[in-house]
Amino acid sequence: FPDLKTNVFRSERTGSYVLMHCHQDLVSFLGCGLILAGVWHLVYHKKSQSSYGRYMAQSPPARTVPARLAWFLQEMPAFIIPLLLILTTHKSTIMGKYMLLGTFCVHYFQRTFVYSLLMRGKPFPLSVMVAAGLFCSLNGFLQGHYLLHCAQFDDEWFTGYCFKIGLLLFYIGMTINIHSDFILHNLRKPKEVIYKIPTGGLFEYVSGANYLGEIVEWFGYAVATWSFPALSFALFTLCFIGPRAYYHHRFYLEKFKDYPKFRKALVPFIF
């Protein structure tokens, strides 16, 4: 097959050599698909955002799912699929691959089993949940398959600057994201539906501090892996939640007359 690249590894359990097939054409197709999907979302939602949360229509869709359950179900494939790929793939001698994919799984473990349980919000439209679940499934497979079957690193890569800087950016972004979500979670009491001005952390500088953290995460991951699939996911993330930060910022400015004028939407002091 023209789209098949083969890596050969020696199994520690049997001593035999194991063929690991890389579907390079599929990887390229899915990576390009992520970028095109991000650009499409950027253009299609130029004047309005996806209809969930504060942007849901006044008359909610007929079929909705409780927010906590919806978030749990839609995020779970991005954690489970790479984990299954790790467990069912013969171990490579290059353990850095598992460290990188484990980093990806750490994010989605937190989003699936921690963040979803802390959510307070309106029910999700069923269509939004299904679309997000499909995206997480495809992306989880893409990142896992590429790292385990396609990526080729030498030992020096995992001691180099790109790897270290990328992981540092990832965990800085994840810390910002979790801390910002914590601030948002504590803005309202249980069953409150009013909106308040978030303060503290990077919310002192931008309206979308949680989104900024996640964007930094995935660009850091792209640097650490130095791969097209990771870069395509980072670009998709920027196109998808970057505009949402802008609309959040506009929402706050319109709703609160005392909203800090120096606060930007996504990038401190710039935008």
Side-chain angles (χ1 to χ4, degrees):
F1 298 93
D3 65 324
L4 211 60
K5 184 170 69 177
T6 301
N7 292 331
V8 181
F9 297 100
R10 187 176 180 84
S11 170
E12 295 179 358
R13 185 180 62 183
T14 64
S16 60
Y17 287 94
V18 179
L19 298 180
M20 302 180 71
H21 299 299
C22 167
H23 297 273
Q24 189 63 54
D25 283 357
L26 179 60
V27 167
S28 299
F29 174 78
L30 291 176
C32 291
L34 284 185
I35 296 174
L36 291 175
V39 172
W40 175 84
H41 182 274
L42 192 64
V43 173
Y44 183 77
H45 293 281
K46 190 174 182 180
K47 295 184 178 180
S48 63
Q49 280 297 288
S50 299
S51 57
Y52 65 92
R54 70 186 67 183
Y55 304 108
M56 190 178 291
Q58 293 296 326
S59 55
R63 296 182 179 179
T64 60
V65 183
R68 290 181 178 179
L69 178 61
W71 198 271
F72 177 83
L73 293 177
Q74 73 184 34
E75 300 289 302
M76 184 170 57
F79 172 73
I80 293 296
I81 291 175
L83 184 62
L84 289 176
L85 289 174
I86 291 173
L87 295 176
T88 57
T89 299
H90 288 278
K91 294 294 184 291
S92 164
T93 56
I94 304 175
M95 297 307 295
K97 289 185 174 186
Y98 300 98
M99 182 189 301
L100 287 170
L101 191 53
T103 299
F104 180 88
C105 291
V106 163
H107 170 90
Y108 279 103
F109 177 88
Q110 193 276 334
R111 301 302 276 179
T112 303
F113 297 102
V114 179
Y115 178 77
S116 65
L117 298 179
L118 298 175
M119 280 197 75
R120 297 173 187 164
K122 300 177 182 178
F124 271 43
L126 178 62
S127 59
V128 172
M129 187 199 77
V130 171
L134 178 61
F135 170 82
C136 286
S137 299
L138 291 174
N139 189 48
F141 168 79
L142 172 62
Q143 306 302 330
H145 176 76
Y146 175 81
L147 281 176
L148 295 176
H149 297 277
C150 304
Q152 297 184 7
F153 300 104
D154 54 35
D155 293 335
E156 293 180 358
W157 174 257
F158 300 104
T159 59
Y161 288 112
C162 282
F163 176 75
K164 294 177 181 178
I165 292 172
L167 280 188
L168 179 63
L169 286 173
F170 178 90
Y171 284 108
I172 289 174
M174 187 173 183
T175 301
I176 294 170
N177 181 246
I178 293 174
H179 181 247
S180 301
D181 284 337
F182 176 79
I183 291 173
L184 293 174
H185 175 75
N186 288 288
L187 269 182
R188 293 181 289 188
K189 297 177 182 178
K191 296 184 180 180
E192 270 191 337
V193 294
I194 61 173
Y195 287 98
K196 300 179 181 179
I197 299 175
T199 57
L202 278 181
F203 280 116
E204 297 296 327
Y205 302 96
V206 294
S207 299
N210 51 332
Y211 297 135
L212 173 61
E214 188 160 355
I215 290 168
V216 170
E217 266 189 88
W218 295 123
F219 274 97
Y221 186 72
V223 172
T225 62
W226 207 254
S227 69
F228 176 64
L231 177 61
S232 63
F233 178 38
L235 291 172
F236 173 87
T237 302
L238 177 63
C239 291
F240 191 85
I241 63 178
R244 202 165 182 86
Y246 167 76
Y247 279 96
H248 276 24
H249 183 66
R250 193 173 73 174
F251 170 86
Y252 287 129
L253 288 173
E254 293 174 353
K255 189 172 183 65
F256 302 104
K257 293 183 178 180
D258 59 339
Y259 195 72
K261 300 301 180 184
F262 63 85
R263 191 178 294 186
K264 300 298 183 180
L266 184 65
V267 183
F269 312 114
I270 299 174
F271 172 76

